[in-house]
Amino acid sequence: MDTAPSAQPLTSTTLAAPNRRRVATAAALASAVEWYDYFVFGIAAALVLGDLYFPAGSPTAGVLAAFATFAVGFLARPLGGIVAGQLGDKRGRKPMLVLALTLMGVATIGIGLLPTYETIGVAAPILLVLLRVVQGVAVGAQWGGAMLLATEYAPEGKRGVYGSVVQLGVPIGVVSANSVFLLAGAFTSDSAFASWGWRVPFLVGLPVLALAWYIHTRVEETPEFREAERALAEKERGEKNSPLRTVLRGHLGTVLLAGGSFAVNTATFYIIITGVLDYTTRELGMDKGAVLTVSLCVSLTQLVLIPASAALSDRLGRIRIYAIGAVGIALWAVPMFLLIDTGSLLWLAVSTFVASCFLSIMYGPQAALFAELFTPEMRYTGASLGYQIAAVAGGGLAPFVMVLLLEATGTSMAVSGYIIGLSLIALASIKVLADRARSH
């Protein structure tokens, strides 16, 4: 039975402002470079990976295979969250973040150097899947570490804002990935891009390894973890303790509610940045560079919207702001695809911009909300599991499901229905979390 309250207050800490800023900056950079490395795969899957690594069959079959490989990374994310959560709650937030960054850097560079199916045959897609799994494990481990570095160093009353700096890593990663792909496309011919130009975005992810070293040598462990570590050491003298066991036995319901509340956000996000890229270029005949530019510009607006919604959540409450975003996504699902189907760049920009506003309203307070659902000794494990369950149920499958729905029904309204269904699950989960918050 789940006995966890819907919100556990975090204790305040007295820290020098420069130290807070250094930690927040390191957490934001860790999130940005990690998500950059993760997103370049999604863009490449929509543009070139199907032909290069899964050449047999129709173009649609190749895209489905590439998106299935994209989804494999999401299936691996809970594993990263579980392992890093266990160790992060017992050994510290910082070491797990450093490990996650190192894994991501090695896997991304490996993809950039990986020979194609034409060169090494069936070994190429197998290795691609394995490297994508490593990326998934890495990003599954990263989010909890970066989020807790930021929120557990936050001053009283500003946890939402500090948590949002980690959330900013997503739009920064999208903007960076799209920018590098645009530059690679601009300076190469179509044939050169398909041959080697697509590899450049993967290889420029190398600085992630330098950042891992910086965090390892210059960033201190969070004060809240050090306090929890002392309490945990005393408890372990009398009994064997496992954060994962504690979460699964007493707080599984909270984990599932967290995941259910967020799946619509991550699904809609990946539909917009990956599924729509494939749909507009392959089905609607829109220009690849123009669509990437729209995605880049829309992502830039999130750099303002995410911290703004997080600041509002510090004043008005996490659940209230979070719920507004979920309602907005549900209401916009049909108009969004009606506008996209016009094949107009202007309406594509309008439709995805409005959607990104509602996504940002949810995403801003999400880090602080998930952190407050669990106590420090199990926070890495609990928050990571909730986030990664949403990533699997929503984001990882969303582009794949989108292609299947379009092929089966011939209408984008089926994708809108998929988003609305996930929105209803989110709103139901949010209501239960709100009821629990009022009862404690």
Side-chain angles (χ1 to χ4, degrees), residues 45-418:
L47 297 178
V48 296
L49 294 185
D51 291 336
L52 295 175
Y53 291 91
F54 307 96
S58 67
T60 299
V63 171
L64 282 172
F67 279 162
T69 305
F70 177 71
V72 164
F74 286 82
L75 295 175
R77 282 170 62 168
L79 175 61
I82 289 171
V83 174
Q86 276 277 93
L87 296 174
D89 281 329
K90 300 185 76 170
R91 301 289 178 254
R93 297 14 176 154
K94 188 181 79 169
M96 293 303 101
L97 181 56
V98 171
L99 177 61
L101 289 167
T102 303
L103 286 175
M104 180 62 83
V106 171
T108 303
I109 294 167
I111 293 171
L113 298 174
L114 184 64
T116 64
Y117 185 94
E118 184 179 4
T119 303
I120 60 173
V122 72
I126 292 173
L127 290 172
L128 183 66
V129 170
L130 290 176
L131 289 169
R132 182 59 178 172
V133 167
V134 175
Q135 279 195 321
V137 170
V139 82
Q142 173 271 143
W143 181 79
M147 179 271 290
L148 292 179
L149 273 183
T151 58
E152 291 185 345
Y153 264 106
E156 193 68 30
K158 293 187 177 181
R159 190 160 294 113
V161 171
Y162 270 66
S164 72
V165 303
V166 174
Q167 309 297 72
L168 286 175
V170 170
I172 292 172
V174 172
V175 169
S176 302
N178 280 330
S179 297
V180 176
F181 265 102
L182 281 170
L183 289 172
F187 287 98
T188 59
S189 64
D190 288 344
S191 60
F193 181 83
S195 175
W196 59 267
W198 68 271
R199 298 181 182 274
V200 174
F202 288 90
L203 298 178
V204 300
L206 183 62
V208 69
L209 299 176
L211 180 61
W213 178 252
Y214 174 83
I215 292 174
H216 174 67
T217 57
R218 298 295 301 276
V219 174
E220 297 178 1
E221 190 55 78
T222 72
E224 285 196 39
F225 170 74
R226 290 198 296 266
E227 293 174 10
E229 186 179 34
R230 285 192 290 270
L232 186 63
E234 294 177 3
K235 186 176 182 180
E236 284 183 333
R237 292 191 190 106
E239 59 179 274
K240 188 175 181 180
N241 182 67
S242 165
L244 179 61
R245 187 182 299 113
T246 300
V247 168
L248 294 181
R249 285 182 176 178
H251 309 276
L252 181 58
T254 300
V255 169
L256 295 176
L257 287 169
S261 74
F262 192 62
V264 65
N265 187 288
T266 187
T268 306
F269 174 77
Y270 283 103
I271 284 173
I272 290 173
I273 69 161
T274 302
V276 168
L277 175 60
D278 167 65
Y279 178 59
T280 54
T281 55
R282 185 167 57 88
E283 298 289 343
L284 302 182
M286 298 176 72
D287 178 70
K288 172 187 67 179
V291 174
L292 283 171
T293 301
V294 168
S295 179
L296 186 154
C297 293
V298 168
S299 295
L300 284 172
T301 65
Q302 292 186 303
L303 298 178
V304 176
L305 294 170
I306 287 175
S309 66
L312 277 177
S313 78
D314 282 331
R315 298 179 59 188
L316 304 179
R318 319 278 181 229
I319 293 288
R320 182 178 301 174
I321 302 301
Y322 200 64
I324 290 171
V327 170
I329 292 171
L331 295 177
W332 189 246
V334 170
M336 178 175 72
F337 271 98
L338 289 176
L339 293 176
I340 291 172
D341 284 343
T342 65
S344 162
L345 275 177
L346 174 62
W347 290 122
L348 172 66
V350 170
S351 66
T352 53
F353 168 71
V354 174
S356 75
C357 288
F358 293 124
L359 294 177
S360 298
I361 289 171
M362 283 190 77
Y363 201 56
Q366 184 250 347
L369 173 63
F370 277 31
E372 291 168 350
L373 292 175
F374 305 95
T375 52
E377 66 274 8
M378 60 176 172
R379 185 171 290 148
Y380 202 138
T381 302
S384 292
L385 276 179
Y387 188 96
Q388 303 313 333
I389 285 173
V392 172
L397 296 176
F400 185 83
V401 170
M402 179 177 173
V403 174
L404 286 180
L405 289 173
L406 289 170
E407 287 293 309
T409 66
T411 173
S412 62
M413 290 300 99
V415 185
S416 297
Y418 171 58

